[in-house]
Amino acid sequence: MSLATPSVSRAQTAPWFAQSVGNATQVISVVGVGGSDAKMDVYQRTAAGWQPVAVGIPAFVGAAGMAPQTHDGQMKTPMGVFTLDFAFGTAPNPGGGLQYVQVGPNHWWDGDMKSPTYNTMQVCEESQCPFNTDPSSGTENLEIPQYVHAVVMGVNKQRVPGNGGAFFLHATDGGPTAGCVAIDDAKLVEIMRWLQPGALIAISK
């Protein structure tokens, strides 16, 4: 465990998400503190209950805040409990339990609502991609500085067109996001090295 364990009372009450995460043993909590600012706490479930392994990490969320249900183009971060499906980044794999994809100029997150691969990662040369790669379509090229490291959040897994896609936990550029959650990259790498399959992210106001 590379995350510093804070000195906290063992007699603490259960965290806010405790009734919403099933049998998960790792949860990243993101709670809005106003506007596009949020606070991240990282928890591990042990025999003694939920134990914080990192607390008070400053985070950015969507420029327009949070919403229970998000739609493409709203600039809002979805609220709820979501899986953390796999990790990716322009940098080499830093290690950890999640599958990792190192991305380059031909890696895309398909945001084209008319595409059968909407809200999935795709690999193709831009001239040969079978979906609209124009940023106005919602599609993102993944070779950008904020995606030096990122973890995919399982938002809109049914891939309903318009219900939002490309929600990640990624490195911050120092400001609000288009709906993702962003933190300092060095802290993100620590968390990624700790994550195991089955981890969840819980987001609330």
Side-chain angles (χ1 to χ4, degrees):
M1 173 67 64
S2 60
L3 298 179
T5 301
S7 56
V8 290
S9 167
R10 297 275 170 175
Q12 64 185 12
T13 56
W16 67 270
F17 56 76
Q19 301 303 314
S20 307
V21 296
N23 295 323
T25 59
Q26 294 183 323
V27 174
I28 297 172
S29 161
V30 180
V31 177
V33 294
S36 59
D37 293 320
K39 178 176 73 80
M40 179 181 291
D41 300 317
V42 182
Y43 286 88
Q44 177 92 42
R45 195 203 304 251
T46 69
W50 288 102
Q51 303 294 332
V53 295
V55 297
I57 301 167
F60 290 101
V61 293
M66 298 177 171
Q69 173 66 57
T70 56
H71 299 283
D72 285 298
Q74 282 189 317
M75 306 290 280
K76 292 183 179 181
T77 297
M79 295 160 58
V81 177
F82 306 105
T83 54
L84 293 169
D85 295 338
F86 66 96
F88 70 91
T90 59
N93 186 357
L98 300 184
Q99 175 194 357
Y100 188 87
V101 178
Q102 188 169 359
V103 298
N106 292 334
H107 286 79
W108 308 84
W109 200 272
D110 181 0
D112 180 356
M113 290 183 223
K114 299 176 182 175
S115 167
T117 54
Y118 170 75
N119 196 25
T120 63
M121 180 185 285
Q122 297 294 315
V123 185
C124 49
E125 291 191 26
E126 183 168 12
S127 62
Q128 299 174 353
C129 292
F131 50 86
N132 189 345
T133 59
D134 190 279
S136 64
S137 74
T139 296
E140 292 187 40
N141 185 276
L142 299 181
E143 193 182 42
I144 63 172
Q146 295 95 311
Y147 298 158
V148 59
H149 298 103
V151 183
V152 177
M153 295 162 44
V155 179
N156 191 19
K157 284 194 167 190
Q158 297 76 30
R159 299 195 289 115
V160 176
N163 277 5
F167 291 102
F168 314 127
L169 168 58
H170 65 71
T172 182
D173 62 4
T177 72
C180 295
V181 177
I183 64 170
D184 175 73
D185 183 58
K187 184 59 68 174
L188 176 57
V189 168
E190 287 185 30
I191 293 172
M192 288 170 63
R193 288 174 174 156
W194 169 81
L195 285 172
Q196 295 296 321
L200 300 174
I201 187 166
I203 303 173
S204 181
K205 288 185 178 177

